[in-house]
Amino acid sequence: MIKSICMILSFLGLCINIFAQNISDSLRSSSEKINQIYIETDPTTYFFNGFSLAVRRSATFHKKLNIGLGIYKTTIPDFYIEAEESNKNKGWKAKNLGIDGFFDYYFFNPNKGLSVGLTLSLYNFTIERVGIKTNYYSFIQTLRAGYLWRPFNKFDSVYIFPWIGISTNQKISGNNVIEGETFTTPKVSIVPSLQIGFSF
């Protein structure tokens, strides 16, 4: 009986030790882990009746390269539409829904710090004027530079990723003309963004 109890206690002790080790490993600094999955959002989209969600991961063939996919939806604010001279005082309303592909290279650390990247996006613009709606598709390429910052030492799975990019925009199909007026977006634009995310 005593021998059986000792065996059970030894087994339980072994299980507790393994469990504790797994917890310790899982809480180890995220920046020390080479292979990461990143889940992130751009909180500014929620102020414009939209949302964004992106999932990235460390590339298996290069530890400092991240690749990923994202979805983005927003109502384009009037000040952005009116910034184009040809859109001014025409009563345009617009929304967009896009799919993004991300490729980012980190210079010094595979999970934080300075990076440069390329975003390839396919966006569906839904535009409206004088009660008439139509839509068109654009292909957008963005070269970006960013800095992935982990501000919380005890919770360094949480990160902030501000970046700035330069985008080119080409209409590829659909209709961006309503009642003789053409809805225009900049061919080249500067794009700032702030992503907040969690990696594991």
Side-chain angles (χ1 to χ4, degrees):
M1 180 70 174
I2 293 176
K3 186 177 180 181
S4 297
I5 292 173
C6 288
M7 288 179 63
I8 291 171
L9 290 174
S10 297
F11 178 74
L12 288 174
L14 179 62
C15 290
I16 290 170
N17 186 51
I18 292 171
F19 179 75
Q21 184 62 46
N22 287 337
I23 292 293
S24 175
D25 290 344
S26 68
L27 293 176
R28 193 173 20 151
S29 171
S30 289
S31 61
E32 293 176 4
K33 299 175 186 176
I34 292 177
N35 296 315
Q36 294 269 292
I37 294 175
Y38 304 78
I39 300 174
E40 61 194 32
T41 187
D42 179 347
T44 60
T45 57
Y46 299 95
F47 294 103
F48 299 107
N49 301 315
F51 66 87
S52 77
L53 178 65
V55 178
R56 297 186 292 128
R57 67 152 294 149
S58 306
T60 55
F61 55 86
H62 197 298
K63 68 179 183 179
K64 291 186 179 180
L65 182 67
N66 288 346
I67 57 176
L69 289 173
I71 185 169
Y72 176 96
K73 181 181 180 181
T74 189
T75 298
I76 302 174
D78 291 341
F79 69 81
Y80 184 84
I81 295 173
E82 296 282 324
E84 283 294 297
E85 190 65 33
S86 60
N87 292 336
K88 278 189 175 180
N89 303 315
K90 302 292 174 58
W92 288 109
K93 298 294 179 185
K95 299 179 180 180
N96 61 13
L97 173 64
I99 297 175
D100 305 306
F102 303 102
F103 307 87
D104 292 291
Y105 177 82
Y106 288 81
F107 286 104
F108 307 111
N109 187 302
N111 298 308
K112 64 180 181 180
L114 188 64
S115 68
V116 293
L118 173 66
T119 304
L120 301 176
S121 307
L122 179 64
Y123 274 37
N124 176 19
F125 288 84
T126 300
I127 57 176
E128 180 178 359
R129 180 177 173 271
V130 295
I132 300 172
K133 286 185 180 181
T134 187
N135 72 294
Y136 69 97
Y137 289 89
S138 278
F139 181 57
I140 300 169
Q141 310 91 48
T142 304
L143 287 173
R144 67 182 189 172
Y147 191 90
L148 196 150
W149 178 39
R150 299 180 184 271
F152 309 111
N153 290 332
K154 291 187 177 180
F155 304 99
D156 72 346
S157 292
V158 176
Y159 64 86
I160 299 171
F161 182 42
W163 59 265
I164 189 165
I166 182 166
S167 293
T168 59
N169 184 340
Q170 296 89 37
K171 175 176 168 284
I172 56 174
S173 69
N175 180 30
N176 64 333
V177 179
I178 296 178
E179 293 292 296
E181 296 291 346
T182 302
F183 180 81
T184 57
T185 55
K187 297 294 184 185
V188 179
S189 57
I190 302 297
V191 181
S193 184
L194 176 67
Q195 308 289 121
I196 296 175
F198 177 86
S199 67
F200 56 93

